[in-house]
Amino acid sequence: MNSTDFQNRFIKARRLAIKRDFTHLNETQCEAVLATSGPLLLLAGAGSGKTTVLINRIANILKYGCGFESEYVPENATEDDLKYLENYATGQDSAFESERIRQLCAVEPAEPWRVLAITFTNRAAGEMKERLHRMLGPAAEDIWASTFHSACVRILRRDIDKLGFDPSFTIYDTADTASLMRRILKDLDIEERNFPHKTVLGYISRAKDDMIFAGEFYAAAEKTGDIRRKIIGRAYLEYEGRMRTSNSLDFDDLILLTVKLLLENPDVLQKYQMRFKYVLVDEYQDTNGLQYRLAAALAGGHGNICVVGDDDQSIYKFRGATIENILNFEKQYKDARVIRLEQNYRSTGLILAAANDVIRNNTARKGKKLWTENTNGDVPELHISSDERMEAQLVADKIVASRADGRNWAEHAVLYRMNAQSNQFETAFKRSGIPYKIFGGTGFFERAEIKDMLAYLCVIHNPHDDVRLLRIINNPPRGIGATSIGRLTELASSQGLPVYDMIKQSQNHEELKSAAGKLCLFADMIDDLRETAKTAGLDELYESLVSTTGYVKMLEAKNLDENISRIENILELKTNILSFMNENGGTLFDFLSETALFTELDRDSKESDRVVMMTMHSAKGLEFDTVFIVGTEEGVFPSMRSIGEPSEMEEERRLCYVAMTRAMRRLYFTSAQRRMLFGKTSSSMPSRFIREIDSSNVEIIEPPSAFGDYSFDYSGGFAQKSGSKPYSSSPPSNTNYSAPKPALSRPAPAQVSTDFKKGDAVKHKAFGLGVITGSSPAGGDALLEISFDDAGVKRMLLNSAARYMTKVE
């Protein structure tokens, strides 16, 4: 055998032998794992197994190095080695030594400490380390598998002295930086009202992402004469100075100073470039400018950079993510390879077809099309309800029916665009006894501002409710300090009086005289609201409460970004009140009783098997059997601020794509023909994203005669198979998509029996057989306590429970 034949046969056998380790991967995944040399872009579609690819790629690098792609043949390789390798590669010999195979196949295998694998969250980094350890054993401990920030801390601890910092620096979190900036603004006599600390910190963060330090920022502001930027520049200068004096870094500094360190110190840069032979970056579509520079710098030595991401799932622009990083990867690295992972292992064929229909309308994308070997499954459905209450009840009904078919509660997810939308679904779930949890957020009735508003209503109803009264007595601040409150409660307790009654007598007590005026003003306000409650409707009382207490004005005055959602929640509580009035026509007592029962149900629920509710942003990276994407209307999703802004609209469409591809088996969209949000009712068209789905990939279900003679034309908006223009190009130019206000008529509710009483044996659609062990009034309804044979004791409201129950004789 001549040397050329020997070399060719050895290389072929080595490649086949290495591939045997990865037969569990599909062809494209295997290609990605074995492509180890040079720059590589892995466009990993949703559910395509990108983490599996990353883990196996690292394993290949450590075990075989560049063996698969290399044409190097060891000089000491013999014909016996070749025969041994060929027998193994072709499966002719089942008895072999794994170490000998590794030695024959490996070409420059990397030591674990020469691999840097970066991801974004501690959770993702932890999962990567765990899976690497399961596959590689102790060797995985030396791999730099971490977040961007963790990797930067390790680098800075060793060399930050070159930038004038002490290696013992401390790290400020978000609360620390907010506290510092508030103090700086106060010291500089900068009005927080005009320059909220969060806004100033936002400017500073964006400047750091562009590698603009305080001096340069301020000089540029002076040059342009921009007064606002000059004031922010002063705050930035002071912030930078105080951080340095305290030897502290914020999260942006960790990456900024690491990049600065590498760029200004060639010896440090060379050290890390030589150290990291392989650099892998996960979720590359979410990187910002600094992270892009850092990854490029660290990979500059060997050029073996692999970035993994999905441009169609770039949804964090508001956090500074730059989609151009992934879109322009091939421009930065001229010899880059691109491998598309398009086989989806998560969703059914029709769900993927609908998702592909939506995302193809974006222009800023690399282009790929998900496919699956899974069955086509059920057609995604759009359910159009008459209003938000019926929408929530429809979702509850679907979940109960699915539970009855054997699915767990936790296999269902409700995804919404904004947190305030959770309100109606929480109400419907509580009434129906459906256990749920808010992912990454707080339940509507558990939010501080809602508890405050309900506390006011409780005190208006019952001024002797000391717990609620003490919650609101100085909220918003009225100059009633902790010392005065302490004296007040102590006196009330000593005389056996409610706190409210002691407030009324405060001028008669020497200990309270200094605060008596303010205490009496508070009592007068409560008395006035109590008088209003005697004649006004619940909605009018609530409006008067919001106006009189000054609570919203307090939030507005602070001008904090987070207060926007708090104000929205306060306004959204009016939606609950109006819904309650429409359904029950009850009193303030009835409303508070129903609300208290809901929150009590929350406190009692200890089940881990619960329906999951979350924003679409929070759902990224997760998967569920059944997904409900709710509120799919113009102005809600896509959001009003994105309409008319092409780049914002593309981000919203990517968000829709992310939400759709969370579903494994069933996908539902819901929209309301009219929606009350923040206490105001409006009519809207269904979302353009639904209309971009081919008519064969979605089924539309409308409420019967919800608008009488008025109805929307849904069918005309679908993108046809012939390639006609999608809906997004055809709506009128006014861009608000509000339909003319029709004469509305609510469809008659389905007739269900509510003739249930204590002692009745019942069969529930989801919970099975049980006995009603208790019944008590709850507003215009009744609260049932039912002991189920398998599910234990459940409490639910009669009118909702009756939808799913029958008596057992």
Side-chain angles (χ1 to χ4, degrees):
M1 182 189 314
N2 63 45
S3 61
T4 302
D5 287 343
F6 180 87
Q7 192 169 21
N8 289 339
R9 284 175 59 186
F10 192 95
I11 292 170
K12 180 180 179 182
R14 181 169 66 201
R15 289 176 178 170
L16 290 173
I18 292 173
K19 285 188 75 170
R20 282 194 62 177
D21 277 18
F22 306 105
T23 54
H24 59 289
L25 304 176
N26 68 40
E27 185 177 341
T28 310
Q29 289 176 330
C30 190
E31 180 187 358
V33 165
L34 298 173
T36 57
S37 302
L40 173 65
L41 169 59
L42 294 182
L43 285 174
S48 62
K50 71 178 177 67
T51 305
T52 296
V53 170
L54 273 177
I55 300 301
N56 281 272
R57 191 171 189 275
I58 293 173
N60 177 45
I61 287 169
L62 298 190
K63 188 173 182 180
Y64 301 118
C66 58
F68 184 83
E69 296 182 305
S70 175
E71 297 192 355
Y72 166 78
V73 176
E75 292 181 3
N76 60 351
T78 65
E79 289 195 19
D80 183 57
D81 290 333
L82 174 60
K83 185 176 180 180
Y84 189 85
L85 191 59
E86 286 181 331
N87 286 342
Y88 170 76
T90 56
Q92 296 179 34
D93 188 354
S94 58
F96 59 87
E97 297 176 21
S98 58
E99 181 56 25
R100 185 180 178 187
I101 294 296
R102 192 195 68 78
Q103 290 177 353
L104 290 172
C105 292
V107 178
E108 299 179 9
E111 300 89 343
W113 51 268
R114 302 197 70 184
V115 176
L116 172 64
I118 304 177
T119 188
F120 270 80
T121 66
N122 289 318
R123 180 179 63 84
E127 179 187 353
M128 186 183 294
K129 289 177 183 177
E130 183 181 334
R131 292 181 63 174
L132 283 169
H133 196 274
R134 286 204 302 266
M135 179 173 283
L136 304 172
E141 296 174 8
D142 293 329
I143 298 170
W144 277 46
S146 65
T147 64
F148 273 101
H149 292 110
S150 296
C152 288
V153 169
R154 291 182 70 175
I155 293 172
L156 290 173
R157 289 289 186 204
R158 297 172 186 176
D159 293 293
I160 198 172
D161 58 303
K162 294 179 172 61
L163 298 178
F165 285 82
D166 189 277
S168 62
F169 63 85
T170 55
I171 300 170
Y172 278 14
D173 63 16
T174 304
D176 296 326
T177 57
S179 177
L180 174 60
M181 182 52 70
R182 281 195 292 264
R183 193 157 60 247
I184 287 171
L185 294 176
K186 183 177 180 181
D187 292 346
L188 295 179
D189 290 327
I190 298 173
E191 283 287 339
E192 171 92 16
R193 181 189 304 244
N194 300 322
F195 293 87
H197 74 274
K198 199 168 183 179
T199 300
V200 176
L201 288 170
Y203 271 91
I204 293 173
S205 181
R206 288 188 290 274
K208 288 181 178 181
D209 189 40
D210 293 330
M211 289 202 74
I212 299 173
F213 290 87
E216 184 181 353
F217 184 95
Y218 184 75
E222 278 210 314
K223 188 174 181 180
T224 60
D226 187 326
I227 300 298
R228 182 174 180 80
R229 290 182 73 87
K230 282 175 66 176
I231 293 173
I232 293 172
R234 285 174 55 210
Y236 188 4
L237 282 168
E238 189 67 22
Y239 178 82
E240 187 179 274
R242 295 193 190 188
M243 290 292 284
R244 181 174 284 273
T245 300
S246 63
N247 196 44
S248 300
L249 309 182
D250 62 24
F251 289 143
D252 290 325
D253 288 332
L254 293 175
I255 302 178
L256 172 63
L257 294 183
T258 302
V259 173
K260 179 180 171 67
L261 172 70
L262 297 176
L263 296 182
E264 294 182 356
N265 297 272
D267 58 325
V268 179
L269 175 61
Q270 185 179 28
K271 177 175 69 174
Y272 286 104
Q273 286 184 338
M274 290 302 99
R275 177 189 184 100
F276 297 128
K277 188 173 182 180
Y278 294 94
V279 175
L280 301 90
V281 184
D282 193 12
E283 302 289 3
Y284 195 65
Q285 78 280 349
D286 294 332
T287 54
N288 60 26
L290 277 177
Q291 290 160 339
Y292 160 84
R293 293 187 190 208
L294 177 64
L298 293 174
H302 297 276
N304 297 325
I305 181 171
C306 170
V307 301
V308 186
D310 184 0
D311 50 313
D312 291 333
Q313 295 189 73
S314 179
I315 59 173
Y316 295 121
K317 182 180 179 181
F318 67 96
R319 293 182 186 168
T322 306
I323 192 175
E324 286 74 19
N325 289 348
I326 194 168
L327 296 178
N328 296 332
F329 185 80
E330 293 155 279
K331 293 180 181 178
Q332 181 191 7
Y333 299 98
K334 301 300 183 184
D335 56 343
R337 284 181 285 182
V338 179
I339 297 176
R340 288 171 167 81
L341 302 179
E342 298 175 306
Q343 183 175 359
N344 177 283
Y345 292 91
R346 175 186 299 153
S347 307
T348 62
L350 283 168
I351 290 173
L352 293 184
N356 285 328
D357 286 343
V358 172
I359 200 62
R360 71 184 178 197
N361 289 277
N362 272 7
T363 57
R365 63 189 298 256
K366 304 289 287 186
K368 65 181 174 313
K369 187 174 182 179
L370 295 183
W371 62 277
T372 184
E373 292 180 348
N374 296 338
T375 62
N376 273 343
D378 297 314
V379 178
E381 297 175 4
L382 166 65
H383 288 263
I384 302 170
S385 300
S386 56
D387 58 26
E388 75 287 344
R389 184 182 63 83
M390 297 299 291
E391 175 192 42
Q393 190 59 59
L394 181 146
V395 171
D397 290 347
K398 289 286 183 185
I399 292 175
V400 169
S402 178
R403 170 71 174 185
D405 288 339
R407 301 284 169 182
N408 293 327
W409 298 115
E411 293 183 81
H412 305 83
V414 178
L415 308 183
Y416 35 78
R417 182 63 181 86
M418 50 187 164
N419 280 309
Q421 288 174 259
S422 73
N423 179 11
Q424 290 297 322
F425 295 95
E426 290 187 70
T427 299
F429 291 174
K430 289 167 184 171
R431 288 176 172 172
S432 301
I434 297 174
Y436 71 90
K437 62 181 176 182
I438 304 289
F439 184 93
T442 306
F444 184 78
F445 289 103
E446 297 303 313
R447 291 165 186 160
E449 60 275 13
I450 298 302
K451 283 182 170 293
D452 290 342
M453 292 296 103
L454 291 174
Y456 271 108
L457 290 173
C458 286
V459 172
I460 291 168
H461 171 68
N462 173 23
H464 294 164
D465 185 336
D466 286 355
V467 172
R468 270 59 177 266
L469 186 144
L470 291 173
R471 181 184 181 98
I472 61 172
I473 190 171
N474 198 42
N475 185 19
R478 301 183 174 90
I480 304 172
T483 301
S484 297
I485 293 174
R487 292 171 181 165
L488 176 68
T489 55
E490 187 178 338
L491 267 173
S493 176
S494 67
Q495 297 191 22
L497 292 175
V499 172
Y500 185 76
D501 290 354
M502 183 54 64
I503 290 175
K504 292 280 196 177
Q505 303 174 15
S506 58
Q507 291 179 329
N508 301 328
H509 296 273
E510 191 65 32
E511 306 97 308
L512 299 176
K513 277 192 175 178
S514 61
K518 296 169 184 175
L519 290 170
C520 289
L521 284 174
F522 170 74
D524 290 345
M525 178 187 71
I526 296 298
D527 287 343
D528 289 344
L529 289 169
R530 283 171 57 77
E531 285 299 314
T532 301
K534 294 177 180 178
T535 56
L538 284 178
D539 55 337
E540 295 173 297
L541 171 63
Y542 186 68
E543 288 178 355
S544 180
L545 161 64
V546 171
S547 173
T548 303
T549 61
Y551 194 99
V552 169
K553 288 182 180 178
M554 171 193 70
L555 296 177
E556 291 172 339
K558 291 183 179 179
N559 202 19
L560 303 177
D561 289 352
E562 60 263 32
N563 282 352
I564 295 174
S565 61
R566 297 185 68 191
I567 293 170
E568 288 177 348
N569 289 333
I570 290 170
L571 298 177
E572 180 61 11
L573 183 58
K574 184 180 176 183
T575 299
N576 285 72
I577 292 171
L578 289 170
S579 296
F580 178 82
M581 292 172 66
N582 291 335
E583 294 170 29
N584 303 303
T587 65
L588 174 59
F589 169 75
D590 293 331
F591 174 72
L592 293 174
S593 298
E594 182 176 278
T595 304
L597 288 168
F598 286 173
T599 53
E600 183 65 27
L601 284 169
D602 274 348
R603 286 191 287 272
D604 283 354
S605 180
K606 297 180 177 64
E607 298 178 57
S608 58
D609 181 22
R610 306 183 194 179
V611 175
V612 180
M613 300 172 63
M614 68 182 80
T615 64
M616 297 176 204
H617 282 99
S618 298
K620 188 170 180 289
L622 303 177
E623 61 184 27
F624 302 91
D625 175 85
T626 303
V627 169
F628 297 86
I629 303 176
V630 300
T632 51
E633 303 138 28
E634 292 291 317
V636 177
F637 186 52
S639 64
M640 186 61 71
R641 69 178 182 181
S642 67
I643 296 176
E645 297 290 336
S647 65
E648 296 292 334
M649 185 58 69
E650 295 219 343
E651 179 111 348
E652 290 283 289
R653 189 174 284 111
R654 291 192 292 268
L655 187 58
C656 183
Y657 176 80
V658 166
M660 294 173 72
T661 53
R662 300 310 95 196
M664 300 167 66
R665 188 180 64 92
R666 293 303 306 267
L667 175 62
Y668 296 96
F669 300 93
T670 67
S671 66
Q673 292 174 323
R674 63 182 184 274
R675 178 178 300 279
M676 184 186 293
L677 198 59
F678 313 135
K680 295 182 180 179
T681 301
S682 60
S683 300
S684 298
M685 293 286 286
S687 170
R688 67 189 67 196
F689 300 147
I690 306 298
R691 294 174 173 247
E692 290 171 352
I693 301 174
D694 189 282
S695 57
S696 62
N697 294 329
V698 66
E699 181 180 356
I700 305 221
I701 298 150
E702 300 180 49
S705 305
F707 280 119
D709 295 332
Y710 180 91
S711 65
F712 291 119
D713 177 14
Y714 299 104
S715 58
F718 287 97
Q720 302 299 319
K721 290 181 179 178
S722 60
S724 59
K725 290 184 178 180
Y727 172 72
S728 57
S729 64
S730 59
S733 58
N734 62 6
T735 71
N736 62 11
Y737 297 85
S738 293
K741 223 170 186 180
L744 304 179
S745 61
R746 187 186 297 269
Q751 294 298 312
V752 295
S753 171
T754 56
D755 183 24
F756 293 95
K757 61 184 182 299
K758 183 176 179 179
D760 285 347
V762 295
K763 184 176 182 180
H764 190 279
K765 195 171 185 179
F767 299 119
L769 295 172
V771 175
I772 299 176
T773 56
S775 177
S776 57
D781 208 331
L783 180 70
L784 301 181
E785 184 175 275
I786 309 174
S787 178
F788 291 101
D789 294 350
D790 296 323
V793 176
K794 301 288 181 184
R795 289 185 291 169
M796 56 191 77
L797 291 174
L798 170 61
N799 288 327
S800 295
R803 302 168 66 90
Y804 316 117
M805 289 196 314
T806 55
K807 287 186 181 180
V808 178
E809 300 299 334

